[in-house]
Amino acid sequence: MKRGAVRKEKTAHRIVLERKMVTHHDVMTWNLDYCVGCQLGANVCPLDAITHVDGKLENGRMVVRQGVDIDPEKCVLCGMCAVMCPANAIEISVNGKPTNPVQEYETFPTLIESNEFNAEAFDWSRRDFVIDNCPTNVISYDEAAETLVVEDEHCIRCRQCEVASDGAFQVEQPWEGTVTLRRELCVAGCLACADICPTRALHINAAGELVLADYYCIKCGACMQICPIQAETEEYEVTFESQGHTHTRVHERITNAAVLPIWVERWRVKHTPVESSSWLDALMRIASDKAGQVEIDRKRALKRRDLLKALKGGHVLMDNE
Amino acid sequence: MPEDEKKKSTEHQFEEEEPRIGVYACHCGSNIASVLPPAEVAKYAESLPGVVVANDHHYMCSEPGQRMIQEDIKKHNLNRVVVSACTVAMHEPTFRSCISDVGLNPFMFEMANIREHDSWVHSHEKEAALLKAKELTAAAVAKVSYARPLDMFKVPVTKRALIIGGGIAGISAALDLADMKIETYLVEKTPSIGGRMAQLDKTFPTMDCSICIEAPKMVDVGKNPYIHLLTYAEVRKVDGYIGNFKVEVEQKPRYVDADSCTGCGLCVDVCPITVPNEFEDGMGPRKAIYVPMAQSVPVTHTIDMNACIKCYKCVEACGDLSAIDFAQEPEIIELDVGAIIVATGYDTWDPTPLEEYGFGEYENMLTMMEIERLHCAGGPTIGEFIRPSDGKIPASLALIQCVGSRDKRYHEYCSGFCCMYTIKNALLLKWLYPEMDITIFYIDLRTPGKTYEEFYERAREAGIHFIKGRPAEVLEDPVTKNLIVHAENVTLGTHVALEVEMVGLATAAIPSAGAADLGRVLTVANDGYGWFLESHPKLKPLDTPTEGIYLAGSAQGPKDIPQCVSQGSGAAGRASRVLMADEWEIDPIVAYIWPDRCLNAKGGKCTICYDVCPYGAVINKPGSGEPSQIIPAKCHGCGTCVAECPANAITQHHFTDGQVIAQIHSLLADNPEGKVLAFTCRWCSGMGADNAGTAHFEYPANTRIIMVMCAGRVDPDFVMEAFRLGAGAVLVSGCHPQDCHYISGRQYAGDRMERVAKQLTRLGISPERFRVESVSATEGAKWARIMQEMSGTLAELTIAKIKEENAQAHPKLARRLNRLKQVPGVAPVLRLSEEMRLQGIAGGGA
């Protein structure tokens, strides 16, 4: 095998891509236990190195998790997928240091997201409940500091803690958009999306029915991937301006949104400023056309954020058991 | 070409004057005369039809011998000449120019080889040898009777050259041609010229810095007004012939405009994508936008679209220069050139398949090119020689030679330069790190070159260990990542288990990727290993069998730098012979299609001649109603199409069906059942028969040879006609198929003769009476053995049995061969032969 070629090691729990030159050594790790097979990574990949691996359903329940596979001959370890990954499943290190090349070279932005804990506003009697309630188990009690701490790099910003702590946790999600569940369109008895949903936004209630609590949704879209009723797409040409050039790309868009039982639409992402056509291209691949336009017209984007903030109180929050 | 075409088409209708032939038998000192009396050969020749004068001389090739011929031509008004002496390879040119000096066309000449094919191999059968000499001479007389004057073709020459490959050989050739003010295109497939030499640290045995001595030459190429550099480009199509090649070169898109790019490198700084640099053999990184090395010529950057994520950061960085152009597409550039030099170099073999050494698994197992880059000051570590596993300088190092070369499993040949570069790397490292313990494992040390052996001595004196023995296995210590080399020390007969911190493998040099494809594009053959095949290993090492295409450097086989440079200059010299001329002469022994006989002229859809031609010399328009045509300048004159043509519509000048059949009739006029008739090509097999003569390998004298240019010319009807005439046995012998001088002629001959063999068996001819063989130019012993075997076959079968078989097959053969009379030029031969038979002037005139 040629030196410097990407080597791939795949186990049930992880895919590791490693590239060893003498003066350059990079490693990319996909944690398949975190990966929900949402396709965001595959969609942004500029070299089509990532493919979706279907999960397996039995009697409407997921028995084999869906996920991804990577072609080591195409992957150049650029890190775009790692920026986008909503489940924080991807890590990259160069020469032993965790980093991300596209962010380091300001080709991709850093998504603006956070989870802040205000200890004073917290009802400490709910401590253990809040810790156990976290779907990704990233909240723990720091004995020394006598406070709750969040493993920030693994927090997926689902806002379960925010609701459970009655606002003592304040979560800022990077993605804005809509999620729609139309149970009447579901395949009878299918509950698969609740099995893959990383946030319990989609869950099964006491009556055994599928329920959507859209406040927790992080707009990853894994549910759309596992849904037996698949989205159909068509190709269309996208033209956008960046760095003084007009770019034309071929993208795909969904043509059968009306018949999809579950439909996630992303239309805005909060991020640090960046000037890069690959970012715009990626954004327009994974968000609606509107998102691209919004991105280009910042003014309009800000207006939308204000609007969203105004709407925020309007959601009906579900009770947590 | 239309004029030449016209001339040829009228030529075959030309009715020549009555033959007036002069025959000259040579004594060759005692080489011939000690076995058979040449005077008797001459005396016999006088009785043959058309012969006006016959004479003999001690040395026909000597000045008085030649003068004798010239005087006779004038005195007797001769229009044809036969010399019975030695091989055509030796003196055909001599006598051709001898007769053309006095105004005779040089193609009105034949040689009968009564030395290599007769006196030298039949010294114990003097009577039979004399008979054979007479018959060979008679056959030459028969052939020359139907000879026609031929003129060399003259083609115009485009005074431009194409060089494929921008390594040191291609660079040397380009600079030499430019010095001669010949416009030269240098096509290189990577983004920069420089080749392998640019990757090396130092050069043996002088320890010059490799890139330091090559870079000035690269720069010279870049700015020479006579050299057009086409880098990141590949030759896709070559048409035409010597002096007139039409070439299509694909310029791959670099996505950077060469005129605007200044090579400043700002784009590289902002590019987020890192991939391994091919130039560093993957030892260090490059960006998706890159130049392979600091000294690249041209400095124009290139975007690797397999890695680019199209973030346009480079466009931003380039700013007002606006050199980056994502809209670039592949472009086909058409070139007209008169000569082509192939200098595509070599690749190093990837030793991964050699599992016992664990390359690719063990981190500290490197190839020698990786070692080279690792201690090169321009390399990824800036010259610091570190172990890949931990970045420390190794305290000990083993270098293993002949990895994948001299190994029957992979490459049988010796790569030639590995001994020297292994010693060089060892010595360099010893100088850099005197404490380093360096051991070289070798099979044999081959240091033939000026001051090369002394260089090896220096290495020994410097304290480098040499162990004779090829390591059987290398194992890795999983903790320390040290490697344990297991070998047999052949000198001491002991087992060696040497633990070292790093190992280097001197891997085989292999033909560069794409050499086989390029061979097909150029219609130049590659040898069994894939190296380009030279026209003659000793006398034409820089020529290919295709005229106008030359070889330089490692494209032809592994070579070190001085050899590559000399070959580059040599190939430039060979090419300049053509390029300096206003027009170039091409041998007229080409094929010709009678338009009215071609099936396509009658609306047929025949493509046979087109399919079998390895040179693309046939213009074939099946179904158009137009006859096929041969472009004489592209035809190499193998005659394969002539033999394959189902309508007998093709002939070959100087080897017409009439001429060959005249030879067959002449040689089989007398006692055909007792003879072995051999058709050989003029190259390997003909030379093989000559070689048997030179080595004096005796074989029976009842054997007769008819030489054509290629076994591919041997028409099934020739074989059939021989059996119709009662031949005892027939042999068709060519080169070994992979060595065929006409690429595929021998292959087609083999396929065709397989069918003939089946037909003959059906006709009741014993299969051992017809053989197809391959004899190379060095296989004289094999030739003699085949001749002995076939002669033995006749004795075993007995003349009576052969006659019986022949009588049985004769009616069917005769019916089948009736069609021969329709072939232009054959009917008069058959008529004359019949007359001679009736008059009793047959063959050797018993």
Side-chain angles (χ1 to χ4, degrees), chain B residues 470-764:
Chain B
R470 179 193 207 133
E473 194 174 28
V474 180
L475 299 172
E476 185 187 51
D477 181 330
V479 180
T480 59
K481 303 277 179 192
N482 284 353
L483 298 166
I484 301 117
V485 183
H486 289 275
E488 187 196 344
N489 185 331
V490 177
T491 319
L492 301 177
T494 52
H495 170 241
V496 184
L498 184 70
E499 179 167 343
V500 288
E501 297 194 355
M502 198 160 154
V503 174
L505 303 175
T507 56
I510 55 170
S512 64
D517 289 337
L518 185 62
R520 275 190 286 279
V521 167
L522 293 166
T523 58
V524 168
N526 303 79
D527 66 17
Y529 302 116
W531 304 108
F532 284 99
L533 192 63
E534 65 281 6
S535 193
H536 188 282
K538 300 285 168 225
L539 299 175
K540 281 188 167 181
L542 302 175
D543 293 34
T544 66
T546 305
E547 275 207 273
I549 301 182
Y550 306 95
L551 301 174
S554 298
Q556 183 257 350
K559 280 177 194 65
D560 64 13
I561 295 167
Q563 286 175 325
C564 287
V565 173
S566 353
Q567 286 218 328
S569 295
R574 295 294 294 165
S576 68
R577 289 158 52 249
V578 180
L579 299 169
M580 291 296 208
D582 293 322
E583 44 187 25
W584 194 253
E585 286 193 337
I586 294 182
D587 218 356
I589 307 179
V590 293
Y592 169 75
I593 301 178
W594 287 293
D596 45 327
R597 291 184 66 88
C598 177
L599 291 177
N600 287 356
K602 302 160 195 156
K605 287 185 182 168
C606 180
T607 60
I608 291 175
C609 51
Y610 175 80
D611 293 339
V612 301
C613 181
Y615 303 103
V618 183
I619 304 173
N620 182 253
K621 293 175 185 165
S624 68
E626 282 179 47
S628 298
Q629 256 188 323
I630 285 168
I631 307 161
K634 287 180 87 169
C635 177
H636 286 228
C638 62
T640 304
C641 59
V642 186
E644 289 282 340
C645 180
N648 278 325
I650 316 181
T651 187
Q652 183 184 8
H653 296 310
H654 208 60
F655 291 91
T656 65
D657 283 12
Q659 285 181 300
V660 178
I661 285 173
Q663 285 175 287
I664 300 173
H665 276 253
S666 173
L667 290 174
L668 296 178
D670 192 42
N671 184 27
E673 295 80 12
K675 282 181 188 152
V676 177
L677 185 67
F679 294 94
T680 71
C681 72
R682 173 152 180 177
W683 306 105
C684 301
S685 268
M687 303 273 226
D690 286 356
N691 180 269
T694 316
H696 296 250
F697 292 130
E698 296 258 337
Y699 55 83
N702 61 344
T703 46
R704 304 286 182 267
I705 294 177
I706 294 176
M707 216 184 264
V708 284
M709 293 308 284
C710 174
R713 172 69 183 93
V714 182
D715 198 303
D717 285 356
F718 295 167
V719 178
M720 301 282 187
E721 180 72 355
F723 280 113
R724 185 185 73 87
L725 293 173
V730 175
L731 167 74
V732 176
S733 182
C735 307
H736 290 275
Q738 70 274 19
D739 301 338
C740 178
H741 285 58
Y742 301 100
I743 302 169
S744 53
R746 171 64 180 81
Q747 191 62 47
Y748 284 111
D751 296 349
R752 192 190 306 143
M753 290 307 153
E754 215 168 279
R755 294 194 297 272
V756 172
K758 279 185 195 145
Q759 288 166 4
L760 289 172
T761 314
R762 274 202 296 277
L763 288 169

Side-chain angles (χ1 to χ4, degrees), chain A residues 155-169:
Chain A
C155 173
I156 62 170
R157 322 298 181 203
C158 69
R159 306 201 274 216
Q160 284 282 5
C161 53
E162 185 179 308
V163 173
S165 68
D166 208 7
F169 280 95

Side-chain angles (χ1 to χ4, degrees), chain B residues 81-104:
Chain B
V81 172
V82 169
V83 173
S84 295
C86 53
T87 166
V88 283
M90 183 81 117
H91 278 314
E92 192 177 60
T94 316
F95 293 114
R96 275 188 179 170
S97 70
C98 160
I99 66 167
S100 78
D101 282 352
V102 289
L104 215 54

Side-chain angles (χ1 to χ4, degrees), chain A residues 1 3-4 7 19-24 46-47 76 78 80 101-102 105-107 243 245 247 249 275 277-278, chain B residues 269-274 276 282-285 287 306 309-313 315-316 352 360 363 365 370 380:
Chain A
M1 191 173 206
R3 202 171 294 272
R7 272 164 195 267
R19 194 168 58 174
K20 264 190 180 171
M21 306 168 215
V22 173
T23 53
H24 188 94
L47 301 167
V76 292
C78 69
M80 282 189 181
V102 284
Y105 285 87
E106 292 170 7
T107 300
Q243 292 135 309
H245 284 72
H247 306 266
R249 303 272 197 278
E275 179 88 355
S277 65
S278 54
Chain B
D269 297 340
V270 299
C271 180
I273 301 301
T274 306
M283 304 286 283
K287 293 295 188 68
N306 290 326
I309 59 166
K310 301 190 187 65
C311 67
Y312 275 60
K313 284 282 160 189
V315 179
E316 254 177 52
T352 311
E363 278 186 68
M365 173 72 76
E370 290 176 337

Side-chain angles (χ1 to χ4, degrees), chain B residues 239-522:
Chain B
D239 261 338
Y241 43 86
I242 184 168
N244 301 273
F245 292 105
K246 284 204 180 304
V247 182
E248 283 183 16
V249 177
E250 182 189 337
Q251 174 67 62
K252 293 177 275 185
R254 312 176 89 105
Y255 305 101
V256 177
D257 179 34
D259 295 331
S260 314
C261 178
T262 59
C264 68
L266 288 176
C267 49
V268 175
D269 297 340
V270 299
C271 180
I273 301 301
T274 306
V275 287
N277 190 354
E278 300 82 357
F279 180 78
E280 303 286 6
D281 257 32
M283 304 286 283
R286 66 161 167 82
K287 293 295 188 68
I289 186 163
Y290 69 107
V291 281
M293 57 179 149
Q295 296 86 348
S296 292
V297 172
V299 292
T300 314
H301 284 52
T302 303
I303 298 179
D304 174 0
M305 270 301 153
N306 290 326
C308 175
I309 59 166
K310 301 190 187 65
C311 67
Y312 275 60
K313 284 282 160 189
C314 49
V315 179
E316 254 177 52
C318 193
D320 290 340
L321 280 176
S322 300
I324 292 163
D325 176 9
F326 275 86
Q328 271 189 9
E329 297 219 356
E331 189 191 339
I332 295 288
I333 301 169
E334 289 182 3
L335 308 175
D336 287 310
V337 298
I340 298 173
I341 295 173
V342 181
T344 50
Y346 71 94
D347 280 344
T348 49
W349 183 62
D350 177 352
T352 311
L354 207 70
E355 281 169 7
E356 58 265 40
Y357 290 167
F359 178 79
E361 293 303 316
Y362 307 157
E363 278 186 68
N364 295 324
M365 173 72 76
L366 283 80
T367 67
M368 208 61 87
M369 189 57 96
E370 290 176 337
I371 298 245
E372 192 88 41
R373 291 312 298 162
L374 209 49
H375 62 63
C376 177
T381 57
I382 332 216
E384 200 182 351
F385 192 72
I386 52 171
R387 305 214 293 173
S389 68
D390 55 12
K392 288 190 190 126
I393 295 165
S396 55
L397 171 74
L399 301 173
I400 301 176
Q401 300 235 51
C402 301
V403 177
S405 53
R406 302 185 70 197
D407 185 336
K408 290 202 170 164
R409 295 169 299 171
Y410 305 103
H411 309 94
E412 240 179 276
Y413 55 82
C414 167
S415 293
F417 44 56
C418 325
C419 285
M420 284 304 288
Y421 76 58
T422 305
I423 296 172
K424 173 199 77 179
N425 282 338
L427 201 52
L428 266 176
L429 287 166
K430 196 77 187 171
W431 288 349
L432 287 168
Y433 309 101
E435 298 306 312
M436 193 185 286
D437 194 45
I438 303 174
T439 309
I440 294 178
F441 288 91
Y442 67 97
I443 305 178
D444 297 296
L445 278 167
R446 298 182 169 178
T447 57
K450 202 168 169 181
T451 69
Y452 285 10
E453 179 68 14
E454 294 88 323
F455 188 72
Y456 161 52
E457 273 307 316
R458 254 165 97 188
R460 290 202 90 110
E461 281 160 19
I464 290 155
H465 309 296
F466 287 84
I467 296 180
K468 186 176 173 79
R470 179 193 207 133
E473 194 174 28
V474 180
L475 299 172
E476 185 187 51
D477 181 330
V479 180
T480 59
K481 303 277 179 192
N482 284 353
L483 298 166
I484 301 117
V485 183
H486 289 275
E488 187 196 344
N489 185 331
V490 177
T491 319
L492 301 177
T494 52
H495 170 241
V496 184
L498 184 70
E499 179 167 343
V500 288
E501 297 194 355
M502 198 160 154
V503 174
L505 303 175
T507 56
I510 55 170
S512 64
D517 289 337
L518 185 62
R520 275 190 286 279
V521 167
L522 293 166

